[in-house]
Amino acid sequence: QTVVTQEPSFSVSPGGTVTLTCGLSSGSVSTNYYPSWYQQTPGQAPRTLIYSTNTRSSGVPDRFSGSILGNKAALIITGAQADDESDYYCVLYMGSGIWVFGGGTKLTVL
Amino acid sequence: EVQLVESGGGLVQPGGSLRLSCAASGFTFSSYWMHWVRQAPGKGLVWVSRINRDGSGTTYADSVKGRFTISRDNAKKTLYLQMNSLRAEDTAVYYCTRDASYTMDVWGQGTTVTVSS
């Protein structure tokens, strides 16, 4: 069974840029997987940041962007702020009506 | 305002059943696929199930296939998840979400299911 991989944790300095990735245990991520990204803080429902690789959800600041980098989907945060400290999840559409989430990345801003 | 509100969670014994509901408002419910996603305590998000616009097509994660049934009532603008043969590992917050272009764009606040004796 294919596993969707994410960095378990990442750290970024305030004002810095960080790239979180979303890969496959076997194969490459492409736009055909419709990668999407979600931000979640403890006790809250997830918030949609990016869908279909690089489309920003309504109200999401433009310092959040998505792309394909090499064989992975990527979420790039530029000018990181303290309130960006959250868990970030990606999800991939595997075809045949099946979606798989990555394990999530815990982002620390310090 | 686009909104999804889940209900029906609670404490249930192993082997028991529970039906979750998700009331939609602020958008044309019948025009969207819908999903259920769950999150066990301290763990990540896990996709559970999806249903198409008229309810004729459903898919499930292997972990719930044969035990859970997703359905919808477009007249009532409500999504359901019937959960049977519940196990301790089904303990989680269950979110209903709206599908937009093969992703989940709108999320409810979640309802908590606890399976324990």
Side-chain angles (χ1 to χ4, degrees):
Chain A
Q1 183 171 344
T2 301
V3 174
V4 177
T5 62
Q6 293 184 249
E7 299 87 359
S9 62
F10 226 112
S11 182
V12 62
S13 300
T17 296
V18 62
T19 300
L20 308 183
T21 67
C22 178
L24 291 168
S25 56
S26 176
S28 299
V29 177
S30 69
T31 56
N32 293 330
Y33 285 85
Y34 299 91
S36 302
W37 293 90
Y38 305 90
Q39 178 190 51
Q40 189 182 35
T41 53
Q44 299 297 312
R47 170 197 183 196
T48 304
L49 296 175
I50 301 288
Y51 61 93
S52 296
T53 305
N54 55 14
T55 303
R56 206 173 294 113
S57 187
S58 177
V60 173
D62 60 8
R63 54 197 184 78
F64 291 91
S65 62
S67 69
I68 300 292
L69 291 180
N71 62 349
K72 296 182 180 181
L75 174 70
I76 303 109
I77 307 172
T78 57
Q81 300 179 359
D83 61 3
D84 294 336
E85 188 161 294
S86 302
D87 294 326
Y88 292 85
Y89 294 92
C90 69
V91 68
L92 301 179
Y93 177 58
M94 310 304 283
S96 302
I98 302 296
W99 284 259
V100 178
F101 280 91
T105 297
K106 184 177 184 63
L107 181 65
T108 302
V109 181
L110 52 72
Chain B
E1 179 192 4
V2 174
Q3 197 171 14
L4 297 170
V5 179
E6 301 93 335
S7 60
L11 175 64
V12 61
Q13 292 188 338
S17 298
L18 210 56
R19 189 177 83 155
L20 307 182
S21 299
C22 170
S25 60
F27 66 98
T28 305
F29 180 69
S30 58
S31 296
Y32 291 85
W33 292 4
M34 297 293 294
H35 300 263
W36 286 100
V37 174
R38 70 183 181 184
Q39 186 171 35
K43 302 296 185 180
L45 300 172
V46 176
W47 175 80
V48 172
S49 182
R50 176 235 75 178
I51 189 167
N52 67 359
R53 295 177 187 87
D54 65 4
S56 62
T58 59
T59 50
Y60 300 90
D62 286 345
S63 58
V64 306
K65 198 175 296 183
R67 300 187 300 123
F68 290 12
T69 302
I70 190 173
S71 63
R72 65 192 297 163
D73 185 330
N74 285 341
K76 295 182 177 179
K77 300 180 182 179
T78 302
L79 175 72
Y80 302 101
L81 186 67
Q82 177 67 43
M83 304 186 296
N84 298 330
S85 304
L86 283 162
R87 307 165 180 167
E89 55 265 35
D90 296 317
T91 294
V93 175
Y94 285 74
Y95 297 100
C96 77
T97 78
R98 188 180 76 172
D99 183 283
S101 301
Y102 295 94
T103 190
M104 300 120 199
D105 67 340
V106 178
W107 295 69
Q109 86 290 349
T111 187
T112 300
V113 173
T114 304
V115 184
S116 175
S117 55

